[in-house]
Amino acid sequence: AVKAAIAWNTIGTNDVVTFYQFGRSLQDHGLEWTYVHDISFNHPPLTAYFLIGIYKLAHLPFLRENTISFPFLLRFPGIVADLVTVWAVFQIAKSAESKIPAWALILFALSPVSLMITGFHGNTDPIMVMVLTVATLAAIRDKPILCGLFFALSCQIKIIPLLFLPIFFFYWRERRLALKFIVPTALTFLILWAQPLFNFPIAFAKNVLSYGSFWGLWG
């Protein structure tokens, strides 16, 4: 509730403005043009589709009349994602039979860092963390197909979770279930990356797979 109140009454950081500019560029020029002309847009296609969607919603007369703005629409999914993450962490603790006290989970849920990042800052990181945490929960519960699906979805928000691929792969390989993990992972990547992979792979690789980085500066 506090995060939602902050998101409703503030614009957020310059990241919100940047995402708004991304949304406008994607709406006006499309995904390929945005990749080619803006190296800072290093997000996979699913995030692009999300930004187009909330950009359109923010300009609907009904939403504008009720002061539901782009900054709020950007941050609200992350607020919901934080709730799911807290639930997933609690379930992981139960599955692992860890004796984590309730007050520790409450502190995790009320983290000031989370409050500022999700409620005020304005980015897609909380959604990525949520999906990756759910993938971890699926792994603990021995569900390789769901683990592969949610892991692949986390990589559709930002490419960074791809670094966890070897960990998940060897985890399932030890249990001789690697194929059940790899197939849904690969299919999800193929379906959601189809547009850039088959139409403008070089721009996609430069911006997303290389994370928009270039020599001499931090990515």
Coordinates of all heavy atoms in Angstrom, one line a residue, residues 121-210:
H121 N 11.6 4.5 -7.6 CA 12.7 4.5 -8.6 C 12.1 4.4 -10.0 O 12.3 5.2 -10.9 CB 13.8 3.5 -8.3 CG 14.9 3.6 -9.3 ND1 15.0 3.0 -10.5 CD2 16.1 4.3 -9.1 CE1 16.1 3.3 -11.1 NE2 16.8 4.1 -10.3
G122 N 11.4 3.2 -10.2 CA 10.8 3.0 -11.5 C 11.6 2.2 -12.5 O 12.3 2.8 -13.3
N123 N 11.6 0.9 -12.4 CA 12.2 0.1 -13.4 C 11.6 -1.3 -13.4 O 10.6 -1.6 -12.6 CB 13.7 0.0 -13.1 CG 14.1 -0.6 -11.8 OD1 13.5 -1.5 -11.3 ND2 15.1 0.0 -11.2
T124 N 12.1 -2.2 -14.2 CA 11.5 -3.6 -14.3 C 12.2 -4.6 -13.5 O 11.8 -5.8 -13.6 CB 11.5 -4.0 -15.8 OG1 12.8 -4.0 -16.3 CG2 10.6 -3.0 -16.6
D125 N 13.2 -4.2 -12.8 CA 14.0 -5.2 -12.0 C 13.2 -6.1 -11.0 O 13.4 -7.3 -10.9 CB 15.1 -4.5 -11.2 CG 16.2 -3.9 -12.1 OD1 16.1 -4.1 -13.4 OD2 17.1 -3.3 -11.7
P126 N 12.2 -5.5 -10.3 CA 11.4 -6.3 -9.4 C 10.7 -7.4 -10.1 O 10.5 -8.5 -9.5 CB 10.5 -5.3 -8.7 CG 11.2 -4.0 -8.8 CD 11.9 -4.1 -10.1
I127 N 10.2 -7.2 -11.3 CA 9.5 -8.2 -12.0 C 10.5 -9.3 -12.4 O 10.1 -10.5 -12.3 CB 8.8 -7.6 -13.3 CG1 7.9 -6.5 -12.9 CG2 8.1 -8.7 -14.1 CD1 7.4 -5.7 -14.1
M128 N 11.6 -9.0 -12.8 CA 12.7 -10.0 -13.2 C 13.0 -10.8 -12.0 O 13.1 -12.0 -12.1 CB 13.9 -9.2 -13.7 CG 15.1 -10.2 -14.0 SD 16.6 -9.2 -14.2 CE 16.9 -8.7 -12.5
V129 N 13.2 -10.2 -10.8 CA 13.5 -10.9 -9.6 C 12.4 -11.8 -9.2 O 12.7 -13.0 -8.8 CB 13.8 -9.9 -8.5 CG1 14.0 -10.6 -7.1 CG2 15.1 -9.1 -8.8
M130 N 11.2 -11.4 -9.3 CA 10.0 -12.2 -9.0 C 10.0 -13.5 -9.8 O 9.9 -14.6 -9.3 CB 8.7 -11.5 -9.3 CG 7.5 -12.3 -9.1 SD 6.0 -11.7 -9.9 CE 6.4 -11.9 -11.6
V131 N 10.2 -13.4 -11.1 CA 10.1 -14.6 -12.0 C 11.3 -15.5 -11.7 O 11.1 -16.7 -11.7 CB 10.1 -14.1 -13.5 CG1 9.8 -15.3 -14.4 CG2 8.9 -13.1 -13.7
L132 N 12.5 -14.9 -11.5 CA 13.6 -15.8 -11.2 C 13.5 -16.5 -9.9 O 13.9 -17.6 -9.7 CB 14.9 -14.9 -11.2 CG 16.2 -15.6 -11.1 CD1 16.4 -16.5 -12.3 CD2 17.4 -14.6 -11.1
T133 N 12.9 -15.8 -8.9 CA 12.6 -16.5 -7.6 C 11.6 -17.6 -7.7 O 11.7 -18.7 -7.1 CB 12.1 -15.4 -6.6 OG1 13.0 -14.3 -6.5 CG2 12.0 -16.0 -5.2
V134 N 10.6 -17.4 -8.5 CA 9.6 -18.5 -8.8 C 10.2 -19.6 -9.5 O 9.9 -20.8 -9.2 CB 8.4 -17.9 -9.6 CG1 7.4 -19.0 -10.0 CG2 7.6 -16.9 -8.8
A135 N 11.2 -19.4 -10.4 CA 11.9 -20.4 -11.1 C 12.7 -21.2 -10.0 O 12.8 -22.5 -10.1 CB 12.8 -19.8 -12.1
T136 N 13.3 -20.6 -9.1 CA 14.1 -21.2 -8.0 C 13.1 -22.1 -7.2 O 13.5 -23.2 -6.8 CB 14.8 -20.2 -7.1 OG1 15.6 -19.4 -7.9 CG2 15.6 -20.9 -6.1
L137 N 12.0 -21.6 -6.9 CA 11.0 -22.4 -6.1 C 10.6 -23.6 -6.9 O 10.5 -24.7 -6.3 CB 9.7 -21.5 -5.8 CG 8.5 -22.2 -5.1 CD1 8.9 -22.7 -3.8 CD2 7.4 -21.2 -5.0
A138 N 10.4 -23.5 -8.2 CA 10.0 -24.6 -9.0 C 11.2 -25.7 -9.0 O 10.9 -26.9 -9.0 CB 9.8 -24.2 -10.4
A139 N 12.4 -25.2 -9.0 CA 13.6 -26.1 -8.9 C 13.6 -26.9 -7.6 O 13.8 -28.1 -7.6 CB 14.9 -25.4 -9.1
I140 N 13.3 -26.2 -6.5 CA 13.3 -26.8 -5.2 C 12.2 -27.9 -5.1 O 12.3 -28.9 -4.5 CB 13.2 -25.8 -4.1 CG1 14.5 -25.0 -4.0 CG2 12.8 -26.4 -2.7 CD1 14.4 -23.8 -3.0
R141 N 11.1 -27.6 -5.8 CA 9.9 -28.5 -5.8 C 10.0 -29.6 -6.9 O 9.0 -30.3 -7.2 CB 8.6 -27.7 -5.9 CG 8.4 -26.9 -4.7 CD 7.0 -26.2 -4.7 NE 6.6 -25.6 -3.5 CZ 5.5 -24.9 -3.3 NH1 4.7 -24.8 -4.2 NH2 5.3 -24.4 -2.1
D142 N 11.2 -29.7 -7.5 CA 11.4 -30.7 -8.6 C 10.4 -30.6 -9.7 O 9.8 -31.6 -10.2 CB 11.4 -32.1 -8.0 CG 12.6 -32.4 -7.0 OD1 13.7 -31.9 -7.4 OD2 12.4 -33.0 -6.0
K143 N 10.3 -29.4 -10.2 CA 9.4 -29.2 -11.4 C 10.2 -28.5 -12.5 O 10.2 -27.3 -12.7 CB 8.2 -28.3 -11.0 CG 7.3 -28.9 -9.9 CD 6.1 -28.0 -9.6 CE 5.3 -28.6 -8.5 NZ 4.6 -29.9 -8.9
P144 N 10.9 -29.4 -13.3 CA 11.9 -28.8 -14.3 C 11.2 -28.0 -15.4 O 11.7 -27.0 -15.9 CB 12.6 -30.1 -14.8 CG 11.6 -31.2 -14.5 CD 10.9 -30.8 -13.2
I145 N 10.0 -28.4 -15.8 CA 9.3 -27.7 -16.9 C 8.9 -26.3 -16.5 O 9.2 -25.3 -17.2 CB 8.1 -28.5 -17.3 CG1 8.5 -29.9 -18.0 CG2 7.3 -27.7 -18.3 CD1 7.3 -30.7 -18.3
L146 N 8.3 -26.2 -15.3 CA 8.0 -24.9 -14.8 C 9.3 -24.0 -14.5 O 9.3 -22.8 -14.7 CB 7.2 -25.0 -13.5 CG 5.7 -25.4 -13.6 CD1 5.1 -25.6 -12.3 CD2 5.0 -24.4 -14.5
C147 N 10.3 -24.7 -14.0 CA 11.5 -24.0 -13.8 C 12.1 -23.4 -15.1 O 12.5 -22.2 -15.1 CB 12.6 -24.9 -13.1 SG 14.2 -24.2 -12.8
G148 N 12.1 -24.2 -16.1 CA 12.6 -23.7 -17.4 C 11.7 -22.6 -18.0 O 12.2 -21.6 -18.5
L149 N 10.4 -22.7 -17.8 CA 9.5 -21.7 -18.3 C 9.7 -20.3 -17.6 O 9.9 -19.3 -18.2 CB 8.0 -22.1 -18.1 CG 7.0 -21.1 -18.4 CD1 7.0 -20.7 -19.9 CD2 5.6 -21.6 -18.1
F150 N 9.8 -20.4 -16.2 CA 9.9 -19.1 -15.5 C 11.3 -18.6 -15.6 O 11.5 -17.3 -15.6 CB 9.6 -19.4 -14.0 CG 8.1 -19.4 -13.7 CD1 7.5 -20.6 -13.4 CD2 7.3 -18.3 -13.8 CE1 6.1 -20.7 -13.2 CE2 6.0 -18.3 -13.6 CZ 5.4 -19.5 -13.3
F151 N 12.3 -19.4 -15.7 CA 13.7 -18.9 -15.9 C 13.8 -18.2 -17.3 O 14.3 -17.1 -17.3 CB 14.7 -20.1 -15.9 CG 16.0 -19.7 -16.5 CD1 16.9 -18.9 -15.7 CD2 16.5 -20.1 -17.7 CE1 18.1 -18.4 -16.2 CE2 17.7 -19.7 -18.2 CZ 18.5 -18.9 -17.5
A152 N 13.2 -18.8 -18.3 CA 13.2 -18.1 -19.6 C 12.4 -16.8 -19.6 O 12.9 -15.8 -20.2 CB 12.6 -19.1 -20.7
L153 N 11.3 -16.8 -18.8 CA 10.6 -15.5 -18.7 C 11.4 -14.4 -18.0 O 11.2 -13.3 -18.3 CB 9.2 -15.8 -18.0 CG 8.2 -16.5 -18.8 CD1 7.0 -16.9 -17.9 CD2 7.7 -15.7 -20.0
S154 N 12.2 -14.8 -17.0 CA 13.0 -13.8 -16.3 C 14.0 -13.2 -17.3 O 14.3 -12.0 -17.2 CB 13.7 -14.5 -15.1 OG 14.8 -15.3 -15.6
C155 N 14.4 -13.9 -18.2 CA 15.4 -13.4 -19.2 C 14.7 -12.5 -20.3 O 15.4 -11.9 -21.1 CB 16.1 -14.5 -19.9 SG 17.2 -15.5 -18.8
Q156 N 13.4 -12.6 -20.3 CA 12.6 -11.7 -21.2 C 12.4 -10.3 -20.6 O 12.0 -9.4 -21.4 CB 11.3 -12.3 -21.5 CG 11.3 -13.8 -22.0 CD 12.3 -14.0 -23.1 OE1 12.3 -13.3 -24.1 NE2 13.1 -15.0 -22.9
I157 N 12.6 -10.2 -19.3 CA 12.5 -8.9 -18.7 C 13.8 -8.1 -18.9 O 13.9 -7.0 -19.3 CB 12.1 -9.0 -17.2 CG1 10.9 -9.9 -17.0 CG2 11.9 -7.6 -16.6 CD1 9.7 -9.5 -17.7
K158 N 14.9 -8.8 -18.5 CA 16.3 -8.3 -18.7 C 17.1 -9.5 -19.0 O 16.8 -10.6 -18.6 CB 16.8 -7.5 -17.5 CG 16.0 -6.3 -17.2 CD 16.7 -5.5 -16.1 CE 17.5 -4.4 -16.6 NZ 18.0 -3.4 -15.6
I159 N 18.2 -9.3 -19.7 CA 19.1 -10.5 -20.1 C 19.9 -11.0 -19.0 O 20.5 -12.1 -19.1 CB 19.9 -10.0 -21.3 CG1 20.4 -11.3 -22.1 CG2 21.0 -9.1 -20.9 CD1 19.4 -12.1 -22.7
I160 N 20.1 -10.2 -17.9 CA 21.0 -10.6 -16.9 C 20.8 -12.0 -16.3 O 21.8 -12.7 -16.0 CB 21.0 -9.5 -15.7 CG1 21.6 -8.2 -16.3 CG2 21.8 -10.0 -14.6 CD1 23.0 -8.2 -16.8
P161 N 19.6 -12.5 -16.1 CA 19.4 -13.8 -15.5 C 20.0 -14.9 -16.3 O 20.1 -16.0 -15.8 CB 17.9 -13.9 -15.4 CG 17.4 -12.5 -15.3 CD 18.3 -11.7 -16.2
L162 N 20.3 -14.6 -17.6 CA 21.0 -15.7 -18.4 C 22.3 -16.2 -17.7 O 22.7 -17.3 -18.0 CB 21.3 -15.1 -19.8 CG 21.6 -16.1 -20.9 CD1 20.4 -17.0 -21.1 CD2 21.9 -15.4 -22.2
L163 N 22.9 -15.4 -16.9 CA 24.1 -15.8 -16.2 C 23.8 -17.0 -15.3 O 24.7 -17.7 -14.9 CB 24.6 -14.6 -15.3 CG 25.1 -13.4 -16.1 CD1 25.5 -12.3 -15.2 CD2 26.3 -13.8 -17.0
F164 N 22.5 -17.2 -14.9 CA 22.2 -18.3 -14.0 C 21.9 -19.6 -14.8 O 21.7 -20.7 -14.2 CB 20.9 -18.0 -13.2 CG 21.2 -16.9 -12.1 CD1 21.0 -15.6 -12.4 CD2 21.6 -17.3 -10.9 CE1 21.2 -14.6 -11.4 CE2 21.8 -16.3 -9.9 CZ 21.6 -15.0 -10.2
L165 N 22.0 -19.6 -16.1 CA 21.7 -20.8 -16.9 C 22.6 -21.9 -16.5 O 22.0 -23.1 -16.4 CB 21.8 -20.4 -18.4 CG 21.6 -21.6 -19.4 CD1 20.2 -22.2 -19.2 CD2 21.8 -21.2 -20.8
P166 N 23.9 -21.8 -16.4 CA 24.7 -22.9 -16.1 C 24.3 -23.6 -14.7 O 24.4 -24.8 -14.6 CB 26.1 -22.4 -16.0 CG 26.1 -21.1 -16.9 CD 24.7 -20.6 -16.7
I167 N 24.0 -22.7 -13.8 CA 23.6 -23.2 -12.4 C 22.3 -24.1 -12.6 O 22.3 -25.2 -12.0 CB 23.3 -22.1 -11.5 CG1 24.6 -21.3 -11.3 CG2 22.8 -22.6 -10.1 CD1 24.4 -20.0 -10.4
F168 N 21.3 -23.6 -13.2 CA 20.1 -24.4 -13.4 C 20.3 -25.6 -14.2 O 19.8 -26.7 -13.9 CB 19.0 -23.5 -14.1 CG 18.3 -22.6 -13.1 CD1 18.4 -21.2 -13.3 CD2 17.4 -23.1 -12.1 CE1 17.8 -20.4 -12.4 CE2 16.8 -22.2 -11.3 CZ 16.9 -20.9 -11.4
F169 N 21.1 -25.5 -15.3 CA 21.4 -26.6 -16.2 C 22.0 -27.8 -15.4 O 21.6 -28.9 -15.5 CB 22.2 -26.2 -17.3 CG 22.6 -27.4 -18.2 CD1 21.7 -27.9 -19.1 CD2 23.9 -27.9 -18.2 CE1 22.1 -29.0 -19.9 CE2 24.2 -29.0 -19.0 CZ 23.3 -29.5 -19.9
F170 N 23.1 -27.5 -14.7 CA 23.8 -28.5 -14.0 C 23.0 -29.1 -12.8 O 23.1 -30.2 -12.4 CB 25.2 -28.0 -13.5 CG 26.2 -27.9 -14.6 CD1 26.6 -26.7 -15.0 CD2 26.7 -29.0 -15.2 CE1 27.6 -26.5 -16.0 CE2 27.6 -28.9 -16.3 CZ 28.0 -27.7 -16.7
Y171 N 22.1 -28.2 -12.2 CA 21.2 -28.7 -11.2 C 20.3 -29.8 -11.7 O 20.1 -30.8 -11.1 CB 20.4 -27.5 -10.7 CG 19.4 -27.8 -9.6 CD1 19.7 -27.9 -8.3 CD2 18.1 -28.1 -10.0 CE1 18.7 -28.2 -7.3 CE2 17.1 -28.5 -9.0 CZ 17.5 -28.5 -7.7 OH 16.5 -28.8 -6.8
W172 N 19.7 -29.6 -12.9 CA 18.8 -30.5 -13.5 C 19.6 -31.7 -14.1 O 19.1 -32.8 -14.1 CB 17.9 -29.9 -14.5 CG 16.9 -29.0 -13.8 CD1 16.8 -27.6 -14.0 CD2 15.9 -29.3 -12.9 NE1 15.8 -27.1 -13.2 CE2 15.2 -28.1 -12.5 CE3 15.5 -30.5 -12.4 CZ2 14.1 -28.1 -11.7 CZ3 14.4 -30.6 -11.5 CH2 13.7 -29.4 -11.1
R173 N 20.8 -31.4 -14.6 CA 21.6 -32.5 -15.2 C 21.9 -33.6 -14.1 O 21.9 -34.8 -14.4 CB 22.9 -32.0 -15.7 CG 23.7 -33.0 -16.5 CD 25.0 -32.4 -16.9 NE 25.9 -33.4 -17.6 CZ 27.1 -33.2 -17.9 NH1 27.7 -32.0 -17.8 NH2 27.8 -34.2 -18.5
E174 N 22.2 -33.1 -12.9 CA 22.5 -34.0 -11.8 C 21.3 -34.9 -11.5 O 21.5 -36.0 -11.0 CB 22.9 -33.3 -10.5 CG 24.3 -32.6 -10.6 CD 25.4 -33.6 -10.6 OE1 25.3 -34.6 -9.9 OE2 26.4 -33.4 -11.4
R175 N 20.1 -34.4 -11.7 CA 18.9 -35.2 -11.5 C 18.4 -35.9 -12.7 O 17.3 -36.4 -12.7 CB 17.9 -34.2 -10.9 CG 18.2 -33.8 -9.5 CD 17.5 -32.5 -9.1 NE 17.8 -32.1 -7.8 CZ 19.0 -31.6 -7.4 NH1 19.9 -31.4 -8.3 NH2 19.2 -31.3 -6.1
R176 N 19.2 -35.8 -13.8 CA 18.9 -36.4 -15.1 C 17.5 -35.9 -15.6 O 16.7 -36.6 -16.2 CB 18.8 -37.9 -15.0 CG 20.2 -38.5 -14.6 CD 20.2 -40.0 -14.6 NE 21.5 -40.5 -14.2 CZ 21.8 -41.8 -14.2 NH1 20.9 -42.7 -14.6 NH2 23.0 -42.2 -13.8
L177 N 17.3 -34.6 -15.4 CA 16.1 -34.0 -15.9 C 16.4 -32.7 -16.8 O 15.5 -31.9 -16.9 CB 15.2 -33.6 -14.7 CG 14.6 -34.7 -13.9 CD1 14.0 -34.2 -12.6 CD2 13.6 -35.5 -14.7
A178 N 17.6 -32.7 -17.3 CA 18.0 -31.5 -18.0 C 17.2 -31.2 -19.2 O 16.9 -30.1 -19.5 CB 19.5 -31.6 -18.4
L179 N 16.8 -32.3 -19.9 CA 16.0 -32.1 -21.1 C 14.6 -31.5 -20.8 O 14.2 -30.6 -21.6 CB 15.7 -33.5 -21.8 CG 15.1 -33.4 -23.2 CD1 16.0 -32.6 -24.2 CD2 14.8 -34.8 -23.7
K180 N 14.0 -31.8 -19.7 CA 12.7 -31.2 -19.3 C 12.9 -29.8 -19.0 O 11.9 -29.0 -19.0 CB 12.1 -32.0 -18.2 CG 11.6 -33.4 -18.6 CD 10.8 -34.0 -17.4 CE 10.2 -35.3 -17.8 NZ 9.4 -36.0 -16.7
F181 N 14.1 -29.4 -18.6 CA 14.3 -28.0 -18.3 C 14.7 -27.2 -19.6 O 14.2 -26.1 -19.8 CB 15.5 -27.8 -17.3 CG 16.0 -26.5 -17.1 CD1 15.4 -25.5 -16.4 CD2 17.3 -26.1 -17.7 CE1 15.9 -24.2 -16.3 CE2 17.8 -24.9 -17.6 CZ 17.1 -23.9 -16.9
I182 N 15.5 -27.8 -20.4 CA 16.0 -27.1 -21.6 C 14.9 -26.9 -22.6 O 14.9 -25.8 -23.2 CB 17.2 -27.9 -22.2 CG1 18.4 -27.7 -21.3 CG2 17.5 -27.4 -23.6 CD1 19.0 -26.3 -21.2
V183 N 14.0 -27.8 -22.8 CA 13.0 -27.7 -23.9 C 12.1 -26.5 -23.7 O 11.9 -25.7 -24.6 CB 12.2 -29.0 -24.1 CG1 11.0 -28.8 -25.0 CG2 13.1 -30.1 -24.6
P184 N 11.4 -26.4 -22.5 CA 10.6 -25.2 -22.3 C 11.4 -23.9 -22.3 O 10.9 -22.9 -22.7 CB 9.9 -25.4 -21.0 CG 10.8 -26.4 -20.3 CD 11.4 -27.3 -21.3
T185 N 12.6 -24.0 -21.8 CA 13.5 -22.8 -21.8 C 13.7 -22.3 -23.3 O 13.5 -21.1 -23.6 CB 14.8 -23.0 -21.1 OG1 14.6 -23.4 -19.8 CG2 15.7 -21.8 -21.2
A186 N 14.1 -23.3 -24.1 CA 14.5 -22.9 -25.5 C 13.2 -22.5 -26.3 O 13.3 -21.5 -27.1 CB 15.1 -24.1 -26.2
L187 N 12.1 -23.2 -26.1 CA 10.9 -22.8 -26.8 C 10.4 -21.4 -26.4 O 10.0 -20.6 -27.3 CB 9.8 -23.8 -26.5 CG 9.9 -25.2 -27.1 CD1 8.8 -26.1 -26.7 CD2 9.9 -25.0 -28.7
T188 N 10.5 -21.1 -25.1 CA 10.1 -19.7 -24.7 C 11.0 -18.6 -25.3 O 10.5 -17.6 -25.8 CB 10.2 -19.6 -23.1 OG1 9.3 -20.6 -22.6 CG2 9.7 -18.3 -22.6
F189 N 12.3 -18.9 -25.3 CA 13.2 -18.0 -25.9 C 12.9 -17.8 -27.4 O 12.8 -16.7 -27.9 CB 14.7 -18.4 -25.8 CG 15.3 -18.0 -24.5 CD1 15.5 -18.9 -23.5 CD2 15.8 -16.7 -24.4 CE1 16.2 -18.5 -22.3 CE2 16.4 -16.3 -23.2 CZ 16.6 -17.2 -22.2
L190 N 12.7 -18.9 -28.1 CA 12.4 -18.9 -29.5 C 11.1 -18.1 -29.8 O 11.1 -17.3 -30.8 CB 12.3 -20.3 -30.1 CG 12.1 -20.4 -31.6 CD1 13.3 -19.8 -32.3 CD2 11.9 -21.9 -32.0
I191 N 10.1 -18.3 -29.1 CA 8.8 -17.7 -29.3 C 8.9 -16.2 -29.1 O 8.5 -15.4 -29.9 CB 7.7 -18.3 -28.5 CG1 7.4 -19.8 -29.0 CG2 6.4 -17.5 -28.6 CD1 6.5 -20.5 -28.1
L192 N 9.5 -15.8 -27.9 CA 9.5 -14.4 -27.5 C 10.6 -13.6 -28.2 O 10.5 -12.4 -28.2 CB 9.5 -14.3 -26.0 CG 8.3 -14.8 -25.3 CD1 8.5 -14.7 -23.8 CD2 7.0 -14.1 -25.7
W193 N 11.6 -14.3 -28.7 CA 12.7 -13.6 -29.4 C 12.5 -13.7 -30.9 O 13.4 -13.3 -31.7 CB 14.0 -14.1 -29.0 CG 14.5 -13.7 -27.7 CD1 13.8 -13.0 -26.7 CD2 15.8 -14.0 -27.1 NE1 14.6 -12.8 -25.6 CE2 15.8 -13.4 -25.8 CE3 16.9 -14.6 -27.5 CZ2 16.9 -13.4 -24.9 CZ3 18.0 -14.7 -26.7 CH2 18.0 -14.1 -25.4
A194 N 11.4 -14.3 -31.4 CA 11.3 -14.6 -32.8 C 11.4 -13.3 -33.7 O 12.1 -13.3 -34.7 CB 9.9 -15.3 -33.1
Q195 N 10.7 -12.2 -33.3 CA 10.7 -11.0 -34.1 C 12.1 -10.5 -34.4 O 12.5 -10.3 -35.5 CB 9.8 -9.9 -33.4 CG 9.8 -8.7 -34.3 CD 9.1 -7.5 -33.5 OE1 8.7 -7.7 -32.4 NE2 8.9 -6.4 -34.2
P196 N 12.9 -10.2 -33.3 CA 14.3 -9.7 -33.6 C 15.2 -10.8 -34.2 O 16.0 -10.4 -35.1 CB 14.8 -9.2 -32.3 CG 14.0 -10.1 -31.3 CD 12.7 -10.3 -31.9
L197 N 15.1 -12.0 -33.8 CA 16.0 -13.1 -34.3 C 15.9 -13.3 -35.8 O 16.9 -13.5 -36.5 CB 15.8 -14.4 -33.5 CG 16.3 -14.5 -32.1 CD1 16.0 -15.9 -31.5 CD2 17.8 -14.3 -32.1
F198 N 14.7 -13.2 -36.3 CA 14.5 -13.5 -37.7 C 14.4 -12.2 -38.6 O 14.4 -12.3 -39.8 CB 13.2 -14.3 -37.9 CG 13.2 -15.7 -37.3 CD1 12.4 -16.0 -36.2 CD2 14.1 -16.6 -37.8 CE1 12.4 -17.3 -35.7 CE2 14.1 -17.9 -37.2 CZ 13.3 -18.2 -36.2
N199 N 14.4 -11.1 -37.9 CA 14.2 -9.8 -38.7 C 15.4 -8.9 -38.6 O 15.8 -8.2 -39.6 CB 12.9 -9.1 -38.4 CG 11.7 -9.9 -38.8 OD1 11.4 -10.0 -39.9 ND2 11.0 -10.5 -37.8
F200 N 15.9 -8.7 -37.4 CA 17.1 -7.8 -37.2 C 18.0 -8.3 -36.1 O 18.1 -7.7 -35.0 CB 16.6 -6.4 -36.9 CG 15.4 -6.3 -36.0 CD1 15.5 -6.2 -34.6 CD2 14.1 -6.4 -36.5 CE1 14.4 -6.2 -33.8 CE2 13.0 -6.3 -35.7 CZ 13.1 -6.2 -34.3
P201 N 18.6 -9.5 -36.4 CA 19.4 -10.2 -35.3 C 20.6 -9.4 -34.9 O 21.0 -9.5 -33.7 CB 19.8 -11.5 -36.0 CG 19.7 -11.2 -37.5 CD 18.6 -10.3 -37.6
I202 N 21.3 -8.6 -35.8 CA 22.5 -7.9 -35.4 C 22.2 -6.8 -34.4 O 22.9 -6.6 -33.4 CB 23.1 -7.3 -36.7 CG1 23.6 -8.5 -37.6 CG2 24.3 -6.4 -36.3 CD1 24.2 -8.0 -38.9
A203 N 21.1 -6.0 -34.7 CA 20.8 -5.0 -33.8 C 20.3 -5.5 -32.4 O 20.7 -5.0 -31.4 CB 19.6 -4.1 -34.4
F204 N 19.7 -6.7 -32.5 CA 19.2 -7.3 -31.2 C 20.4 -7.8 -30.4 O 20.5 -7.6 -29.2 CB 18.3 -8.5 -31.6 CG 17.9 -9.3 -30.4 CD1 17.1 -8.8 -29.4 CD2 18.4 -10.7 -30.3 CE1 16.7 -9.6 -28.3 CE2 18.0 -11.4 -29.2 CZ 17.1 -10.9 -28.2
A205 N 21.4 -8.5 -31.1 CA 22.6 -9.0 -30.4 C 23.4 -7.8 -29.8 O 23.9 -7.9 -28.7 CB 23.4 -9.8 -31.4
K206 N 23.5 -6.7 -30.6 CA 24.3 -5.6 -30.1 C 23.7 -4.9 -28.9 O 24.4 -4.6 -27.9 CB 24.4 -4.6 -31.2 CG 25.3 -3.4 -30.9 CD 25.4 -2.4 -32.1 CE 26.3 -1.2 -31.7 NZ 26.4 -0.3 -32.8
N207 N 22.4 -4.7 -28.9 CA 21.7 -4.0 -27.8 C 21.4 -4.9 -26.6 O 21.7 -4.5 -25.4 CB 20.4 -3.4 -28.3 CG 20.7 -2.1 -29.0 OD1 21.5 -2.0 -29.8 ND2 19.9 -1.1 -28.6
V208 N 20.9 -6.1 -26.9 CA 20.4 -7.0 -25.8 C 21.4 -8.0 -25.3 O 21.8 -8.0 -24.1 CB 19.1 -7.7 -26.2 CG1 18.6 -8.6 -25.1 CG2 18.0 -6.7 -26.6
L209 N 21.9 -8.8 -26.2 CA 22.9 -9.8 -25.8 C 24.2 -9.3 -25.3 O 24.9 -9.8 -24.5 CB 23.1 -10.8 -27.0 CG 21.9 -11.5 -27.5 CD1 22.2 -12.5 -28.6 CD2 21.2 -12.3 -26.4
S210 N 24.6 -8.1 -25.9 CA 25.8 -7.4 -25.4 C 25.4 -6.4 -24.3 O 26.3 -5.7 -23.9 CB 26.5 -6.7 -26.6 OG 27.0 -7.7 -27.5

